[in-house]
Amino acid sequence: MTDPVNVENYLRLIRIPTAKELSATGARSRVLFPSIGSTPGVNGAFWRSDLTLRNSTKEAMALGLRYVAGDTRIDRRITLAAGQTMRWDDVVKNLIHGPDSLGVLWIDYRGDRGPVARIETYDANHRSSSSL
């Protein structure tokens, strides 16, 4: 026969963070780009999206990126140093490493100040563009 489990002693070992400790991590927020891609189009078009991110704060900023296109879901993590700007040409291919596709990009961050984020989507074969 086994000894009964002392649940009371076990529960004493569990430490629940205080409200102050939880708020120190900051709320999670996100930037959403509803349409980015790297995909062929009609009449010889090839649509690409370039991503520029800037951390305008004085501290490093950890970011989670999620790309969703149909059944494809790809997550990436990056960290921007204080004041750093990064740019990825054809972000779906060069950062996400995704297939030719059109999808949605979420950028998650913690705290009340997120990155400055810009997407430029354009027809690489005909030089027409659009920015968000």
Side-chain angles (χ1 to χ4, degrees):
M1 181 168 177
T2 61
D3 293 331
V5 176
N6 187 333
V7 175
E8 186 175 334
N9 284 340
Y10 176 75
L11 290 174
R12 284 191 194 126
L13 299 174
I14 299 173
R15 183 179 171 283
I16 298 173
T18 65
K20 183 178 178 181
E21 290 170 326
L22 288 173
S23 68
T25 63
R28 189 171 88 175
S29 299
R30 89 177 26 122
V31 176
L32 171 70
F33 290 102
S35 182
I36 73 162
S38 182
T39 188
V42 298
N43 297 326
F46 194 87
W47 293 97
R48 290 178 25 172
S49 297
D50 298 345
L51 172 65
T52 303
L53 293 174
R54 172 156 177 76
N55 176 3
S56 59
T57 71
K58 295 181 180 182
E59 296 180 8
M61 183 181 296
L63 303 173
L65 287 81
R66 171 167 276 198
Y67 178 70
V68 177
D71 291 336
T72 301
R73 290 176 180 29
I74 302 171
D75 293 309
R76 296 286 178 255
R77 300 254 178 249
I78 62 169
T79 299
L80 294 176
Q84 182 179 22
T85 299
M86 295 183 77
R87 185 173 192 282
W88 293 270
D89 293 332
D90 198 356
V91 67
V92 172
K93 293 292 182 190
N94 296 318
L95 175 64
I96 304 296
H97 304 291
D100 284 354
S101 55
L102 181 64
V104 177
L105 178 66
W106 283 271
I107 303 172
D108 288 332
Y109 61 92
R110 292 222 176 258
D112 57 354
R113 292 192 59 197
V116 176
R118 180 175 185 260
I119 286 283
E120 180 181 7
T121 299
Y122 57 95
D123 176 358
N125 292 339
H126 299 109
R127 305 289 182 227
S128 59
S129 68
S130 174
S131 295
L132 292 176

